Amino acid sequence: MSKASSKAAAAALAAGGKTGVRIVVAGDRGTGKSSLIITAAVDNFPGTCPPVLPPTRLAEDFYPDRVPVTIIDTSSKLEDTGKVAEELKRADAVVLTYACDRPETLDRLSTFWLPKLRQLEVKVPVIVVGCKLDLRDENQQVSLEQVMSPIMQQFREIETCIECSSFKRIQIPEVFYYAQKAVLHPTAPLFDQESQTLKPRCVRALKRIFILCDHDRDGALSDAELNDFQVKCFNAPLQPSEIVGVKRVVEEKLPGGGTTDGGVNERGLTLTGFLFLHALFIEKGRLETTWTVLRKFGYNNDIRLDDELIPSFKRAPDESVELSSEPLDFLRGIYELFDGDYDNNLRPAELDDIFSTAPDSPWDEPPYKDAAERTSLGGLSVNAFLSEWALMTLLHPSRAVEYLIYIGYLGDPSTAVRVTRKRRLDRKKQQSERNVFQCFVFGPKKAGKTSLLNSFIGRPCSDGHASTTEEKFAANVVELPGGTKKTLVLREIHEDEVKGLLSSKESLASCDIAVFVYDSSDESSWKRVTELLLDVAGHGEDTGYEVPSLIIAAKDDLSSFPMAIQETTRVTQDLGIEAPIPISSRMGDTNNVFRRIVNAAEHPHLSIPETEAGKSRKQYHRLVNRSLMFVSVGAAVAIVGLAAYRVYAARKSSSS
């Protein structure tokens, strides 16, 4: 990489990945748009201006961030309204102009231009610029803050306001500097202007940075740690007098004592003091300071780790993803660290504390919410905690690794997970090496699917049938004979979703085992589950993604329908699978069903149902192979015979 390109890459990284800033200038006719742009570009007031300027590019080194700025002028003609709208939609920032000598153009900002931006859903920083400051009537002097405060209260998208004069070259470069700065160092993700406080996601990111810089883990940044932080972020050490000055400012504002957490203690700068300093920087308009810190630690404009830091994991459809041993050991350590009373019960507040350095708590929403077993106190056991991680890794491996990094994992992200062997290969080897198995739970309405999931994670059985539309998961650790532990993930497939699911060739590729639940007291439920089983088995045969299958006879506490044993025996024998497993979620009798599910998943060559079509196809292939074998043998015999004849003929010829 050349020096120029490496400098450009470094500038882009420091600017949150932006390699250029596009600023669109709009406003009423005659407010000074074109004069503003030309004066900024050539540092000279133009005598005359064309109606609309072509795109104007400021030099790369025009501003300290060294990110090129392109300024787009817009037409004031009514017939160009559509073109102006398109330019506004492509903007990184918008400069709205009014003329200081024409108050009506200022009124038009709140009655036309700002509502128009909202209508177009232009969600970028807005810089309001009063042009022609030199022409304002000296008898009508009012402060800019007094004029703009009501408008800024109504339109929070306004980043800043400034007055300028192209003719006298007053504050012209500042206009586009503020616009560029609003793009590269935006206020909105960091600071709530109304409450004048740091936003929660910003606090979480800064807390993580503080912990990473607190090398001795004593809850404060010592002078040496503060200096290391300064060198890492700003490539310059702090002088001892500067460290003293920083601490003095914090101590004056956050003296501590009593129940108040001070900003400085005997060990150094506390987290409270660290956060206070960043709030102070932002209040004083030094947003670039906080953004520099965030970007040095890999954050983007959404205050999330940049995509480049999060590995993606390529895998075949029938491969799955699991956490490797190192992050699993890390998570067990994290659990012990935050389970303060060592009661194997991670309370909700303790779980929130674990994720307090992440942008949010990832398990507050489906599919993770309520997917793991809760203790009687509403917390998570270590098995439940690890099951949630197993579920997240299975469904969204990159997201799982991202959150591992947020909570302090320092290992190589690319090796934090392992991609398992293909299930087709497992079937040939007659053994699966997976530690996490995904089970699709099929069945008709009211069969007991949800009850099965609930019983798996210790949730009480509900008397009434709850109609569910969202995707449901349940994950838990299953202990097998000999002490081996596997994680089982149950995914409920609603009856109405089956047709759509099977419309995709690879829909069963991620399924290690399928279970089919029916109401053992209802003959129609049995007939419907048989249809579902045949549909799924047939799809597996057609696509090559056959899955082991088990049938579960739910509601075993109720009387079976007439001829149930004969009917179920006939069907399961025809399909070549195990007889239905009776369970009663209401009575708490699960008949070791979860161990049996895991055992079937571990041996993927067994328990695979065969439909009549599948059997016919297999028999046909056998016949074809046998015929080919006979043809091959016949051809071999003919070749040997021909060779023998040639030898015989050669000998006879030589003897003659």
Side-chain angles (χ1 to χ4, degrees):
M1 184 183 285
S2 67
K3 286 186 178 180
S5 59
S6 61
K7 280 184 179 180
L13 182 65
K18 296 290 289 186
T19 55
V21 174
R22 185 181 180 86
I23 301 170
V24 175
V25 182
D28 283 356
R29 183 192 301 272
T31 53
K33 300 189 292 295
S34 301
S35 297
L36 171 66
I37 296 170
I38 292 177
T39 306
V42 301
D43 193 27
N44 198 14
F45 180 72
T48 58
C49 293
V52 180
L53 297 172
T56 303
R57 186 181 172 102
L58 301 183
E60 184 179 293
D61 58 355
F62 200 89
Y63 295 121
D65 285 298
R66 300 186 64 83
V67 175
V69 173
T70 301
I71 307 171
I72 307 299
D73 194 9
T74 55
S75 170
S76 301
K77 294 180 180 178
L78 189 62
E79 58 267 30
D80 292 332
T81 301
K83 188 176 180 182
V84 173
E86 288 304 312
E87 292 290 3
L88 290 170
K89 288 178 182 178
R90 295 174 58 203
D92 293 317
V94 173
V95 168
L96 287 182
T97 60
Y98 68 93
C100 291
D101 62 331
R102 292 166 55 200
E104 72 277 8
T105 59
L106 174 60
D107 294 337
R108 282 265 297 171
L109 296 184
S110 53
T111 60
F112 176 76
W113 285 105
L114 288 161
K116 182 181 181 67
L117 291 180
R118 287 186 176 180
Q119 179 193 348
L120 295 171
E121 297 184 351
V122 176
K123 297 176 181 178
V124 298
V126 175
I127 312 298
V128 170
V129 180
C131 299
K132 305 185 181 183
L133 178 61
D134 55 294
L135 297 181
R136 186 163 62 193
D137 187 347
E138 293 182 1
N139 297 322
Q140 294 182 347
Q141 295 289 344
V142 288
S143 72
L144 182 61
E145 183 180 354
Q146 185 180 345
V147 170
M148 291 304 305
S149 184
I151 300 176
M152 292 183 74
Q153 286 291 327
Q154 184 182 356
F155 298 95
R156 295 286 179 182
E157 54 268 43
I158 298 175
E159 190 75 21
T160 191
C161 305
I162 185 173
E163 292 179 328
C164 66
S165 168
S166 299
F167 181 67
K168 293 193 173 182
R169 287 182 286 176
I170 299 172
Q171 295 204 117
I172 297 300
E174 286 84 346
V175 170
F176 298 105
Y177 172 71
Y178 287 135
Q180 185 206 53
K181 185 178 174 183
V183 176
L184 303 183
H185 313 299
T187 304
L190 305 184
F191 201 69
D192 187 325
Q193 298 279 19
E194 200 159 328
S195 63
Q196 290 291 292
T197 58
L198 294 173
K199 286 192 172 178
R201 188 173 283 191
C202 178
V203 170
R204 287 165 169 261
L206 291 174
K207 180 179 178 180
R208 173 176 171 264
I209 292 168
F210 178 89
I211 291 170
L212 290 174
C213 295
D214 180 18
H215 303 305
D216 57 11
R217 297 289 187 267
D218 66 348
L221 297 184
S222 65
D223 290 0
E225 289 168 339
L226 202 54
N227 191 59
D228 289 344
F229 164 79
Q230 179 76 11
V231 170
K232 177 179 174 66
C233 294
F234 303 101
N235 301 316
L238 280 170
Q239 298 302 315
S241 59
E242 292 175 310
I243 294 177
V244 170
V246 167
K247 288 181 177 179
R248 186 184 301 120
V249 169
V250 175
E251 281 183 301
E252 287 174 359
K253 297 292 184 180
L254 301 171
T259 58
T260 307
D261 183 11
V264 177
N265 61 25
E266 66 279 2
R267 295 183 300 277
L269 184 72
T270 66
L271 174 61
T272 303
F274 187 71
L275 295 174
F276 165 76
L277 280 176
H278 283 281
L280 190 63
F281 293 145
I282 294 168
E283 284 179 36
K284 292 185 177 296
R286 291 174 53 191
L287 287 96
E288 63 275 13
T289 302
T290 300
W291 274 117
T292 299
V293 171
L294 289 168
R295 284 169 181 150
K296 281 291 182 181
F297 283 85
Y299 287 90
N300 59 23
N301 278 11
D302 295 323
I303 322 290
R304 297 190 76 96
L305 288 176
D306 195 87
D307 290 343
E308 291 183 2
L309 300 177
I310 313 299
S312 57
F313 303 97
K314 293 181 180 179
R315 58 194 186 277
D318 59 344
E319 292 176 329
S320 66
V321 182
E322 303 173 357
L323 286 175
S324 49
S325 57
E326 188 179 342
L328 280 172
D329 290 340
F330 166 78
L331 289 172
R332 290 187 186 97
I334 285 288
Y335 186 94
E336 290 177 9
L337 180 65
F338 284 86
D339 181 22
D341 46 11
Y342 304 105
D343 61 349
N344 194 32
N345 173 47
L346 193 69
R347 291 173 171 79
E350 293 169 331
L351 183 64
D352 288 343
D353 204 13
I354 287 177
F355 288 118
S356 65
T357 51
D360 47 40
S361 186
W363 301 341
D364 286 345
E365 302 292 335
Y368 308 109
K369 185 178 174 63
D370 300 327
E373 185 172 10
R374 293 278 171 174
T375 66
S376 57
L377 298 173
L380 296 175
S381 68
V382 67
N383 280 345
F385 179 70
L386 294 176
S387 295
E388 285 275 30
W389 279 102
L391 175 61
M392 185 155 66
T393 308
L394 181 73
L395 300 181
H396 307 111
S398 293
R399 179 178 169 87
V401 173
E402 179 185 1
Y403 277 83
L404 275 173
I405 298 171
Y406 287 135
I407 67 172
Y409 181 68
L410 298 176
D412 182 354
S414 64
T415 61
V417 304
R418 57 181 285 264
V419 177
T420 66
R421 192 167 64 188
K422 292 182 179 181
R423 204 156 46 77
R424 292 184 185 187
L425 190 54
D426 283 345
R427 205 158 62 233
K428 287 181 182 177
K429 300 276 188 182
Q430 301 187 357
Q431 181 70 41
S432 175
E433 297 177 336
R434 299 185 181 189
N435 295 309
V436 180
F437 295 105
Q438 181 168 200
C439 171
F440 286 10
V441 181
F442 296 94
K445 292 181 176 69
K446 302 184 182 181
K449 300 187 297 297
T450 302
S451 295
L452 179 71
L453 269 69
N454 286 342
S455 64
F456 184 45
I457 54 176
R459 191 176 294 131
C461 181
S462 173
D463 289 333
H465 169 69
S467 176
T468 54
T469 53
E470 65 184 31
E471 200 172 41
K472 270 184 174 286
F473 288 85
N476 211 340
V477 172
V478 177
E479 190 164 343
L480 303 175
T484 305
K485 292 182 178 180
K486 301 287 184 180
T487 301
L488 178 62
V489 174
L490 301 182
R491 174 188 171 189
E492 183 177 347
I493 309 292
H494 302 299
E495 183 183 5
D496 298 338
E497 297 173 348
V498 175
K499 185 176 180 181
L501 178 76
L502 299 183
S503 64
S504 166
K505 177 185 176 182
E506 297 169 347
S507 57
L508 297 177
S510 61
C511 175
D512 294 298
I513 181 166
V515 301
F516 296 83
V517 183
Y518 74 98
D519 179 350
S520 60
S521 68
D522 183 353
E523 186 173 6
S524 63
S525 182
W526 162 251
K527 288 181 177 177
R528 180 60 183 137
V529 89
T530 304
E531 293 171 359
L532 291 172
L533 175 53
L534 290 171
D535 288 344
V536 172
H539 184 75
E541 290 170 341
D542 292 341
T543 60
Y545 294 117
E546 298 101 323
V547 293
S549 300
L550 296 176
I551 302 177
I552 294 177
K555 306 183 185 180
D556 191 45
D557 50 301
L558 303 178
S559 299
S560 299
F561 63 86
M563 302 293 288
I565 295 176
Q566 295 91 323
E567 181 65 16
T568 56
T569 301
R570 179 185 64 80
V571 171
T572 52
Q573 284 182 348
D574 285 348
L575 292 170
I577 60 174
E578 188 179 336
I581 304 169
I583 68 166
S584 172
S585 300
R586 185 191 301 275
M587 303 299 290
D589 178 17
T590 55
N591 199 7
N592 281 328
V593 69
F594 304 115
R595 280 188 180 179
R596 294 166 79 169
I597 290 172
V598 170
N599 185 61
E602 282 190 305
H603 303 89
H605 62 297
L606 303 174
S607 306
I608 295 179
E610 281 191 288
T611 66
E612 289 301 322
K615 290 175 185 175
S616 300
R617 190 183 296 121
K618 193 175 287 185
Q619 189 173 5
Y620 171 75
H621 287 312
R622 282 200 204 100
L623 288 171
V624 170
N625 290 336
R626 193 175 300 165
S627 300
L628 290 173
M629 184 180 70
F630 287 148
V631 169
S632 300
V633 170
V637 169
I639 290 169
V640 170
L642 181 60
Y645 171 76
R646 284 178 176 171
V647 171
Y648 167 75
R651 284 179 179 173
K652 186 176 180 181
S653 174
S654 62
S655 63
S656 299

